[in-house]
């Protein structure tokens, strides 16, 4: 089932929570929308909206290129409403916390104003769960060739549906250039009404994420009814036996379901490891581990057995890398910078995030109403 998504608010000035009418609509469409609020809760929703709106925060912003804005808020989910533009033409991108892309660089003509909305997950640590804590509160960075900020406000958005990510370094919020995980780029394709909570962490496999309280157990605590939990683990299961790998994934699937969430298995992105014939038809590229376990194949099998949605990112990224070929595909990975055929560049992570989003949409796991303008090319 898709995550429940609010109708675009009317009047156009967005509020912090679902309007009572949206809650009613979500209830009436419960068969196709996740976690819809019961009708009996409409009055409470209205009260919560009014309270959240009263707590709207105007962040402190400094600088011009970039413009750095800070809101002193506690961990949680927050709607961000930003208006870009000014008397002169501009070109502005927006990132949050540890390099999470909220808005790709967007041009504004002289005198033009463009409003965009996002929902941001604020947590500690703000990036990888085993990394440094980062700075308290919410930090937003407006960069680009010529950033132009007209206004910005932050509104508490408790109860916002989430896409929770559990994975490795190819998914995580990477702390520095040139690295980027696809989970770090996913938020730019979503508008206000859904948040990405990225609990992916470098170097982790299916056993270590279960064993470390900061990883899967912490992610699981965040799961509310009908949140999506995307699980991509394989790159670091290099010596994991088949039965252990399947048991670990099964534990995660069952735990998410017990919390009322929707688990989604995501097969791993390919390694850029070509055969002489220009294909990736080899165990290194396709994540067959040192014990001969075809990890993506085990995910596909488990998905069918347990009736779990599957995003076959291995197949999708294989197709894309082979399409580009040995030379052009280098830009998707960090081959030129690091001779690295596993970790993705910002461009590669961005492309792979669109593949994930396309599958979420195709399988009706998210509603088009939470997609950012132009998120999916028709």
């Amino acid at each position: 089932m898709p995550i429940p998504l609010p109708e675009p608010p009317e009047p156009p000035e967005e509020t912090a929570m679902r309007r009572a009418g949206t809650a009613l609509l979500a209830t009436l469409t419960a068969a196709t929308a996740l976690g819809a609020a019961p009708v009996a809760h409409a009055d409470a929703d209205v009260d919560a909206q009014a309270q959240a709106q009263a707590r709207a925060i105007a962040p402190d912003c400094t600088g011009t290129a970039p413009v750095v804005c800070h809101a002193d808020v506690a961990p949680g989910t927050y709607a961000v409403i930003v208006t870009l533009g000014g008397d002169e033409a501009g070109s502005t991108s927006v990132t949050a916390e540890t390099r999470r892309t909220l808005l790709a660089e967007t041009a504004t003509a002289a005198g033009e104003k463009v409003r965009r909305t996002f929902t941001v997950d604020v947590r500690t640590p703000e990036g990888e769960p085993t990394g440094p804590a980062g700075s308290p509160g919410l930090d937003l960075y407006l960069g680009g060739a010529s950033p132009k900020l007209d206004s910005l406000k932050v509104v508490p958005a408790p109860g916002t549906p989430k896409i929770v990510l559990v994975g490795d370094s190819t998914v995580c919020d990477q702390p520095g250039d040139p690295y980027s995980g696809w989970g770090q780029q996913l938020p730019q394709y979503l508008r206000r009404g859904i948040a990405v909570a990225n609990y992916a962490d470098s170097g982790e496999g299916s056993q270590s994420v279960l064993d470390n309280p900061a990883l899967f157990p912490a992610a699981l605590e965040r799961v509310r009814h009908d949140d999506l939990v995307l699980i991509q683990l394989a790159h670091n299961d290099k010596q994991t036996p088949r039965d252990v790998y399947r048991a670990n994934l099964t534990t995660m699937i069952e735990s998410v379901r017990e919390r009322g969430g929707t688990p989604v298995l995501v097969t791993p992105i390919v390694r850029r490891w070509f055969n002489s014939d220009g294909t990736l038809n080899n165990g290194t590229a396709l994540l067959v581990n040192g014990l001969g376990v075809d990890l993506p194949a085990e995910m596909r099998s488990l998905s069918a057995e347990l009736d779990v949605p599957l995003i076959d990112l291995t197949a999708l990224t294989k197709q894309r890398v082979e399409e580009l070929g040995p030379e052009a595909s280098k830009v998707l990975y960090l081959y030129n910078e690091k001779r690295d055929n596993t970790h993705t560049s910002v461009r590669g992570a961005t492309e792979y995030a669109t593949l994930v989003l396309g599958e979420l949409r195709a399988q009706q796991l998210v509603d088009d109403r939470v997609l950012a303008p132009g998120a999916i090319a028709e």
Side-chain angles (χ1 to χ4, degrees):
M1 292 193 306
I3 280 185
L5 304 165
E7 290 279 356
E10 295 292 343
E13 183 65 26
E14 298 193 55
T15 59
M17 304 283 292
R18 294 188 184 96
R19 294 190 182 277
T22 302
L24 176 60
L25 176 63
T27 302
L28 295 174
T29 58
T32 57
L34 302 179
V39 176
H41 293 172
D43 290 342
D45 286 345
V46 172
D47 291 341
Q49 292 161 17
Q51 292 170 12
Q53 186 68 14
R55 297 195 302 271
I57 300 158
D60 293 327
C61 296
T62 59
T64 56
V67 180
V68 179
C69 299
H70 175 78
D72 186 14
V73 298
T77 50
Y78 295 87
V80 176
I81 304 100
V82 60
T83 302
L84 306 176
D87 294 337
E88 300 177 352
S91 184
T92 311
S93 62
V94 183
T95 60
E97 302 288 81
T98 305
R99 303 176 60 239
R100 303 178 214 162
T101 303
L102 300 182
L103 180 68
E105 192 155 351
T106 300
T108 49
E112 180 187 14
K113 299 292 176 65
V114 172
R115 191 173 72 166
R116 292 289 182 265
T117 65
F118 328 99
T119 303
V120 180
D121 180 58
V122 177
R123 60 184 184 273
T124 302
E126 67 179 42
E128 295 182 82
T130 63
S135 58
L138 171 60
D139 293 301
L140 299 160
Y141 305 88
L142 288 83
S146 180
K148 295 288 184 290
L149 173 62
D150 180 73
S151 66
L152 190 153
K153 67 178 178 179
V154 174
V155 181
T160 298
K162 294 183 295 297
I163 300 175
V164 180
L165 305 181
V166 177
D168 54 35
S169 57
T170 65
V171 184
C172 75
D173 289 346
Q174 289 280 1
D177 284 327
Y179 295 90
S180 182
W182 61 256
Q184 199 165 23
Q185 300 301 326
L186 186 60
Q188 67 186 291
Y189 299 109
L190 303 170
R191 54 165 291 165
R192 181 180 180 180
I194 189 168
V196 176
N198 192 349
Y199 282 81
D201 196 75
S202 295
E204 308 298 344
S206 65
Q207 188 66 58
S208 65
V209 299
L210 288 170
D211 294 342
N212 190 331
L215 299 175
F216 181 77
L220 188 64
E221 285 296 315
R222 299 288 309 281
V223 176
R224 294 165 61 98
H225 185 68
D226 288 328
D227 284 346
L228 297 178
V229 181
L230 276 55
I231 302 166
Q232 185 210 281
L233 292 162
H235 277 276
N236 299 301
D237 282 278
K238 298 174 183 177
Q239 296 294 323
T240 306
R242 172 183 179 273
D243 290 348
V244 174
Y245 183 66
R246 292 173 64 89
N248 289 341
L249 293 178
T250 300
T251 295
M252 288 182 250
I253 290 165
E254 292 176 347
S255 298
V256 170
R257 284 175 167 170
E258 286 174 4
R259 295 277 298 185
T262 300
V264 181
L265 292 177
V266 182
T267 63
I269 70 169
V270 293
R271 296 189 180 100
R272 187 191 155 277
W273 196 263
F274 280 93
N275 296 330
S276 58
D277 64 358
T279 70
L280 300 179
N281 296 323
N282 62 79
T284 299
L286 300 181
L287 283 297
V288 176
N289 76 7
L291 300 180
V293 181
D294 185 334
L295 300 170
E298 294 303 330
M299 271 196 167
R300 296 178 191 115
S301 172
L302 203 58
S303 165
E305 291 176 23
L306 300 181
D307 193 24
V308 179
L310 175 79
I311 296 175
D312 198 342
L313 196 54
T314 306
L316 292 168
T317 55
K318 178 179 186 289
Q319 179 181 359
R320 178 56 175 155
V321 172
E322 288 181 342
E323 176 186 49
L324 290 175
E327 187 60 34
S329 64
K330 290 178 180 178
V331 298
L332 299 181
Y333 292 80
L334 296 176
Y335 181 84
N336 294 327
E337 299 87 347
K338 304 283 186 180
R339 295 296 187 267
D340 185 337
N341 291 309
T342 298
H343 297 97
T344 47
S345 63
V346 170
R347 173 174 165 177
T350 301
E351 286 203 24
Y352 291 174
T354 67
L355 297 177
V356 172
L357 185 67
E359 285 299 298
L360 291 174
R361 182 179 182 238
Q363 297 183 42
Q364 299 183 348
L365 292 167
V366 297
D367 191 291
D368 284 357
R369 289 174 293 174
V370 292
L371 301 184
I376 297 291
E378 297 292 349

